[in-house]
Amino acid sequence: MPKFFIKTYGCQMNERDSEQVAYSLMARGYERVKSEMEADVVLLNTCSVRDMADQKALGKMGMLGHIAKDRPEVVFGFLGCMAQVRGESLLKNLPHVDLVVGTQKFHRVAEYVEELVAIKNGRLRENIQQPTSNSQRRTEECMDDLRFLIVDVEEEPGSQETIREQQLAPRQATAFVSIMQGCNMHCTFCIVPRTRGAERSRSICEIVREVRALAARGVKEVTLLGQIVNLYGRHEFPKRDGKSPFVQLLEAVHEIDGLERLRFTSPHPIGFREDLIAAFGRLPKLAEHVHLPLQSGSNKILKAMHRTYTAEKYVDLVDRIRQARDGTAITTDIIVGFPGETESDYEQTRELVAQIQFDNAFVFRYSPRRDTPAAEMSDQIDESVKAERNRDLLRVVNESARCAGTRLVGRDVEVL
């Protein structure tokens, strides 16, 4: 039985995509292993949100070259966002890489892996050199080193409906459910519209079918995933009774027997209308937690980021969410060192974070991404300044998180 290993970098969406790949391989008889040293197929599902994520994946694949020297029959592949952006250029300095698959083709990975495994094993045993052709991707035979490559980073209509199966561990209590792909917001720091494409949403009935099947297998909590999850369905489905497609979806999933808790990530402040805020007060399965990316507390920087809200509107939104259900935890994402961020801009962010008292926050140093508007902006911030602002803001966040924890002392709460 062939064995495969997947390492995932980045967000929950990537984790979900990896589980889809794992399911499709196991359905074909492959066995999942915990170490690349045991595997016949080694796949890295990559992230491109920050340069560090790119470098980690490239470094990891470089180190795997020693396996290829000893075991040339092993298949090595890049999947996901970095694969989407860099495509076949990833093959140039990594001669052992056989496979590059982008974000709209995860459902084809098992097919490509099987082809490569058959070609490699056939070539090694019988010197057979006949890769099959497929119009939806490029297969290349390099006669100088008998190297067969598959690169598929093309768009595929309907790909949002293909991430619908996953391999569950015994007694697994939580699961991610992908409800959409892509993003139309075009924040100036973000590469996601390039790696994931335009917004595309699955149907409510298909999502409900998947969640119902998960609940039947013992899953108690699902997290609905999307790049801008609360803008789900806005181009495909109509409002009904004043409710957005996303709120309609929450209501439909909420009704599933056996499901006890429901989450979603990551939303955008612009997608929090009154119907969604009200849902927290009337849907008890909806977890008392909202991850609400702030990014900056400076209106000047928010405008430069193309975030389409102000600091004042963000604070008002947090207040309304907390009023809808008492005790709701608010977490966030913040970027420090965005181009043009002055000390005054940073202080505005610091003061806003202290004012809101987040339960937790992910603080990131701005990382320029190629082909994004922010990467071309003047007034790039020195790395040492970014690092100091990052450390300082984490101190503020850690203090507010400590206070949030202190408020729970002596209380009985439900945990999963």
Side-chain angles (χ1 to χ4, degrees):
M1 182 181 292
K3 300 176 181 178
F4 72 96
F5 169 81
I6 298 183
K7 182 173 179 62
T8 306
Y9 299 86
C11 65
Q12 296 99 327
M13 186 73 74
N14 286 15
E15 295 282 356
R16 179 65 188 89
D17 293 335
S18 289
E19 288 307 310
Q20 176 70 29
V21 171
Y23 176 89
S24 60
L25 285 169
M26 294 174 80
R28 292 174 182 242
Y30 285 67
E31 177 187 353
R32 189 172 191 172
V33 293
K34 295 182 179 180
S35 169
E36 61 267 30
M37 301 303 295
E38 307 172 58
D40 304 295
V41 178
V42 179
L43 304 172
L44 304 185
N45 191 6
T46 61
C47 173
S48 273
V49 170
R50 291 176 296 282
D51 184 63
M52 182 62 72
D54 274 16
Q55 298 309 314
K56 284 182 178 179
L58 290 168
K60 177 69 173 180
M61 187 62 81
M63 289 188 292
L64 293 172
H66 71 91
I67 298 176
K69 291 180 180 178
D70 297 332
R71 298 174 59 206
E73 75 278 8
V74 175
V75 171
F76 295 91
F78 280 118
L79 315 177
C81 292
M82 187 177 73
Q84 184 72 40
V85 172
R86 299 199 181 198
E88 63 185 276
S89 68
L90 290 169
L91 304 169
K92 293 178 182 177
N93 298 318
L94 296 165
H96 57 289
V97 173
D98 311 287
L99 177 66
V100 178
V101 178
T103 56
Q104 297 190 30
K105 299 299 179 73
F106 287 105
H107 58 294
R108 299 193 181 276
V109 171
E111 168 194 342
Y112 295 157
V113 164
E114 282 208 321
E115 180 179 349
L116 287 163
V117 167
I119 289 169
K120 282 200 165 192
N121 290 333
R123 183 179 71 227
L124 290 169
R125 292 193 304 268
E126 305 170 12
N127 200 32
I128 295 174
Q129 303 168 16
Q130 297 177 338
T132 61
S133 63
N134 187 313
S135 61
Q136 293 186 331
R137 51 82 171 124
R138 180 177 64 83
T139 303
E140 176 183 301
E141 178 185 350
C142 300
M143 293 304 297
D144 57 341
D145 61 0
L146 298 179
R147 185 181 178 196
F148 296 87
L149 312 174
I150 295 178
V151 178
D152 189 356
V153 295
E154 299 301 315
E155 292 185 3
E156 182 167 335
S159 62
Q160 72 274 15
E161 295 285 3
T162 64
I163 309 299
R164 58 178 182 267
E165 306 288 352
Q166 55 187 298
Q167 194 68 35
L168 297 181
R171 297 177 59 83
Q172 182 172 324
T174 66
F176 294 127
V177 174
S178 177
I179 68 169
M180 61 189 298
Q181 290 180 339
C183 180
N184 292 358
M185 295 304 293
H186 296 285
C187 300
T188 56
F189 56 80
C190 186
I191 199 172
V192 166
R194 186 177 172 200
T195 62
R196 294 279 181 173
E199 287 178 17
R200 307 170 311 283
S201 298
R202 298 173 63 190
S203 66
I204 290 178
C205 64
E206 274 297 305
I207 297 165
V208 168
R209 182 200 63 79
E210 181 179 346
V211 177
R212 186 176 288 121
L214 290 170
R217 295 163 67 187
V219 169
K220 300 299 182 185
E221 174 183 290
V222 297
T223 301
L224 306 180
L225 298 179
Q227 260 70 43
I228 306 289
V229 69
N230 55 339
L231 296 184
Y232 162 85
R234 61 175 175 159
H235 301 301
E236 294 95 340
F237 313 121
K239 285 187 174 183
R240 298 187 186 280
D241 300 323
K243 298 171 185 174
S244 68
F246 184 61
V247 171
Q248 295 172 45
L249 173 63
L250 291 179
E251 291 178 338
V253 173
H254 188 274
E255 294 304 310
I256 294 174
D257 291 337
L259 186 71
E260 296 184 16
R261 300 210 300 206
L262 174 61
R263 298 178 183 271
F264 58 84
T265 198
S266 278
H268 191 292
I270 198 173
F272 266 90
R273 306 298 185 185
E274 289 303 321
D275 61 332
L276 179 52
I277 296 172
F280 281 89
R282 62 184 180 80
L283 298 180
K285 292 182 182 179
L286 198 55
E288 301 100 319
H289 170 222
V290 175
H291 185 73
L292 190 65
L294 169 63
Q295 307 303 3
S296 176
S298 162
N299 288 337
K300 183 193 81 177
I301 297 300
L302 287 172
K303 184 176 181 179
M305 290 177 167
H306 192 219
R307 288 296 290 175
T308 67
Y309 54 85
T310 64
E312 292 78 14
K313 288 182 178 179
Y314 184 95
V315 171
D316 178 66
L317 175 57
V318 169
D319 288 343
R320 286 186 288 137
I321 291 172
R322 285 172 168 166
Q323 289 169 10
R325 185 186 293 181
D326 186 48
T328 297
I330 307 289
T331 58
T332 196
D333 297 329
I334 303 166
I335 296 173
V336 297
F338 187 82
E341 183 186 68
T342 64
E343 194 61 33
S344 174
D345 293 320
Y346 170 68
E347 284 299 322
Q348 290 174 54
T349 298
R350 193 182 194 279
E351 291 170 6
L352 193 64
V353 170
Q355 173 189 343
I356 290 175
Q357 288 287 292
F358 291 106
D359 291 73
N360 212 336
F362 298 101
V363 182
F364 305 103
R365 287 174 281 180
Y366 168 72
S367 177
R369 309 310 293 133
R370 186 174 57 184
D371 299 325
T372 60
E376 306 300 322
M377 291 179 179
S378 59
D379 300 327
Q380 298 286 328
I381 306 299
D382 186 85
E383 290 298 325
S384 63
V385 175
K386 294 180 189 177
E388 175 51 37
R389 290 175 182 174
N390 188 86
R391 287 191 294 269
D392 179 61
L393 195 58
L394 280 174
R395 287 192 287 267
V396 179
V397 169
N398 288 339
E399 177 58 24
S400 64
R402 187 192 65 79
C403 292
T406 300
R407 289 194 294 271
L408 295 174
V409 172
R411 287 181 54 195
D412 290 338
V413 296
E414 180 189 68
V415 297
L416 184 61

